[in-house]
Amino acid sequence: VWRNDSLERYELTEIFRQHDEHFKQILNAIRVGQATQEMLDVINQAGNRFPGHDDVIRLATVNETVNSVNFNRLAKIESKSKSFNATFSGNDEKAFGAQLPAEPVIELKVGAQVMFIKNDDGGKRDSSGTPVKRWVNGTIGTVVDLPRSGGVVVEVDGETFDVGRSTWEKVRYEIDEQFDEALGRVKEVLIAVPLAEFQQIPLRLAWAVTVHKSQGQTYDEVVIDMGRGAFSPGQTYVALSRVRSLEGLYLTRAIRMSDIMVDQDVL
């Protein structure tokens, strides 16, 4: 179908996240599996230092590391915690499979660094009636209040947002036949049939996140923890390319040639 149709193909060539040409060249070489040891030496020399403060987000390869960092950081906050339980049924859990859209129980404290895990679907609109997206999936903020009335108040770049429960739906698409009066004939339309529903506060602790969850994000500063090594093609490239510049890069250990993995099918 792709070859037979008259589709126009566009290749995006301009990199907006980074501006240092040398850094961009190194990242592109890592992306396609052509990095040299000299290139990795530049990365490792730049990242061989400690961050200036504790709130620099850490990207790790495995959930075990991420959960340990977040649990320990939350425990250091002396204020009282509050738990939020998700609403879903056993059948809902089965429909979502092994990966639920959010944690069944989320424990938060005032002062916790958090990440939004779903685009804003609160239905807020501006004066012209246009929907306002106050946050997107991946936005980082800080919990500033846990009101008795429920929900969470999160500060993002100087603005505070009241965050309530979000709903995730699992749907199946089916084809239905409907009569189109304008055309005077029956046509086929695609309809979404809800299979399951999951409700939870759309937040997760975010002093650390997995490299996988960081895809699409941009950070001024980041600590990269490759742990026992990359185990997925593109993992090291995604981790390193999240940061805007080498000045904001910190490494818990040196990047090795064995960490550079590329999917041969993609090449």
Side-chain angles (χ1 to χ4, degrees):
V1 171
W2 180 275
R3 291 190 182 97
N4 292 339
D5 207 344
S6 57
L7 295 170
E8 287 190 78
R9 288 160 54 186
Y10 292 85
E11 181 178 356
L12 306 180
T13 58
E14 187 171 353
I15 296 171
F16 290 91
R17 186 178 284 116
Q18 291 88 20
H19 299 288
D20 181 332
E21 289 301 322
H22 191 206
F23 187 29
K24 287 196 280 189
Q25 289 172 4
I26 293 173
L27 289 176
N28 277 327
I30 291 172
R31 180 172 59 87
V32 298
Q34 296 177 355
T36 64
Q37 186 57 53
E38 288 74 21
M39 290 177 175
L40 296 191
D41 289 344
V42 172
I43 295 287
N44 292 328
Q45 287 165 12
N48 185 23
R49 57 207 167 90
F50 293 102
H53 59 92
D54 291 337
D55 291 332
V56 178
I57 195 166
R58 178 182 293 238
L59 306 187
T61 55
V62 294
N63 280 310
E64 181 182 2
T65 303
V66 167
N67 293 338
S68 175
V69 169
N70 286 329
F71 176 81
N72 290 330
R73 287 299 303 272
L74 188 68
K76 288 182 179 179
I77 299 177
E78 295 182 356
S79 61
K80 188 176 180 181
S81 67
K82 186 174 181 179
S83 295
F84 298 86
N85 297 302
T87 302
F88 61 101
S89 70
N91 288 335
D92 290 338
E93 185 175 10
K94 188 175 181 180
F96 278 103
Q99 188 84 33
L100 289 171
E103 296 293 332
V105 181
I106 299 172
E107 184 181 357
L108 298 175
K109 294 180 180 179
V110 171
Q113 182 164 288
V114 292
M115 174 187 284
F116 287 87
I117 56 174
K118 191 176 189 294
N119 292 345
D120 179 20
D121 58 1
K124 297 287 185 182
R125 295 180 179 272
D126 62 18
S127 56
S128 65
T130 304
V132 176
K133 294 291 185 186
R134 297 168 295 172
W135 60 77
V136 296
N137 186 6
T139 296
I140 299 287
T142 304
V143 176
V144 293
D145 193 16
L146 296 168
R148 288 174 176 264
S149 57
V152 185
V153 181
V154 179
E155 181 181 327
V156 177
D157 295 331
E159 286 190 81
T160 57
F161 302 125
D162 294 320
V163 184
R165 286 174 174 265
S166 283
T167 300
W168 288 261
E169 285 187 329
K170 189 80 170 178
V171 299
R172 180 180 69 244
Y173 291 96
E174 296 180 352
I175 293 175
D176 189 25
E177 291 185 344
Q178 294 180 3
F179 184 76
D180 189 318
E181 293 185 4
L183 298 176
R185 62 179 175 84
V186 173
K187 68 175 184 178
E188 292 184 334
V189 295
L190 204 60
I191 60 170
V193 179
L195 297 178
E197 191 174 272
F198 183 98
Q199 292 186 330
Q200 178 59 291
I201 299 291
L203 299 170
R204 58 156 293 153
L205 295 175
W207 287 286
V209 298
T210 60
V211 174
H212 176 71
K213 294 276 193 201
S214 76
Q215 290 184 86
Q217 302 307 310
T218 300
Y219 305 114
D220 292 324
E221 295 182 296
V222 68
V223 176
I224 295 176
D225 182 351
M226 295 305 296
R228 294 186 291 272
F231 56 83
S232 177
Q235 196 173 35
T236 301
Y237 167 74
V238 169
L240 292 172
S241 61
R242 296 311 90 197
V243 69
R244 294 184 189 276
S245 68
L246 288 170
E247 288 72 33
L249 176 66
Y250 306 94
L251 300 172
T252 62
R253 71 152 174 83
I255 303 297
R256 301 188 283 257
M257 289 300 294
S258 59
D259 293 319
I260 312 302
M261 301 172 65
V262 180
D263 190 311
Q264 294 304 309
D265 288 338
V266 173
L267 284 183

